[in-house]
Amino acid sequence: MTRFIAALAIAVAVFASAPSHAAGSDDATKYIEGIAKQALSTISNPKNNKVQKQAALDKLFKNSVDIPWVGRFVLGQFWRKATDDQHARYLREYEKFLITHYTSRFADYTSGTFTMTGTKDDGEDEFTVSMELKGDKKNDPPVLVDYRVRRSGGNFKIFDVIVEGVSLITTQRSEFAAVVN
């Protein structure tokens, strides 16, 4: 009887916690879907010229990506060796680099579509949200993109983007290590 009650208690705990994981996954999906809709709205608005698109995308990127965490990760072991002043200067310049490098590519687009394809709960309030992006040209093949997001303080932030299996932060970490060495 004691085993039965213990098993029942565990089963209740598992079922009770399942919706919160589902809710977390749903929230992560909605977060990425919202960002994608904002980005597409910006690039497809005929009233926006390239400079306006760039400014709007820059703001969206700053608000959506955990730039300080990504910057520290990308610098890797060299972060620990740097002074506080070097940290601050690097993060300022890294933010400019990251935003300019990635948002400028999207400012040239005029339309596109996306389809949410799934979300995986990676544990510890981290999720991988997958989508398929289709460019604005008729014969463009779809591009598979995974967004790694983390919830902190009730808000989500993107900390990695994986395009066709290639991680942004891992690639940049290798490139930066080669330059610093």
Side-chain angles (χ1 to χ4, degrees):
M1 185 68 154
T2 306
R3 280 188 186 168
F4 175 75
I5 293 172
L8 183 61
I10 291 170
V12 168
V14 168
F15 287 117
S17 67
S20 71
H21 290 295
S25 293
D26 289 346
D27 291 345
T29 302
K30 288 176 187 171
Y31 175 73
I32 293 299
E33 189 173 26
I35 292 169
K37 285 179 180 178
Q38 283 181 277
L40 282 176
S41 173
T42 297
I43 64 172
S44 63
N45 185 342
K47 294 179 183 178
N48 288 342
N49 63 34
K50 188 173 179 176
V51 173
Q52 291 168 317
K53 286 180 188 181
Q54 179 79 39
L57 292 171
D58 287 359
K59 183 178 178 183
L60 180 62
F61 195 89
K62 277 184 186 181
N63 292 333
S64 306
V65 177
D66 189 348
I67 296 172
W69 186 91
V70 172
R72 287 189 303 271
F73 178 87
V74 166
L75 201 55
Q77 66 180 347
F78 303 105
W79 179 265
R80 291 184 294 279
K81 297 175 183 178
T83 66
D84 288 344
D85 182 54
Q86 289 171 325
H87 290 161
R89 287 185 318 173
Y90 163 75
L91 286 175
R92 271 193 312 274
E93 294 305 316
Y94 182 74
E95 180 176 295
K96 289 179 202 173
F97 161 77
L98 196 61
I99 290 170
T100 302
H101 186 72
Y102 289 98
T103 62
S104 63
R105 294 176 181 192
F106 292 105
D108 290 326
Y109 286 94
T110 56
S111 67
T113 59
F114 68 92
T115 304
M116 305 304 293
T117 59
T119 300
K120 184 178 117 198
D121 186 338
D122 298 325
E124 298 185 27
D125 270 341
E126 292 183 359
F127 303 88
T128 301
V129 180
S130 302
M131 76 166 51
E132 188 177 86
L133 295 172
K134 183 87 168 93
D136 54 357
K137 294 188 177 84
K138 187 174 184 170
N139 294 325
D140 283 346
V143 177
L144 304 176
V145 182
D146 293 326
Y147 295 89
R148 301 279 326 276
V149 298
R150 175 182 300 127
R151 186 190 336 239
S152 178
N155 298 316
F156 285 103
K157 287 284 187 172
I158 298 167
F159 66 93
D160 194 11
V161 179
I162 302 164
V163 179
E164 296 289 337
V166 179
S167 163
L168 164 91
I169 61 175
T170 303
T171 301
Q172 282 193 348
R173 188 176 210 171
S174 296
E175 291 171 353
F176 277 51
V179 169
V180 173
N181 280 329

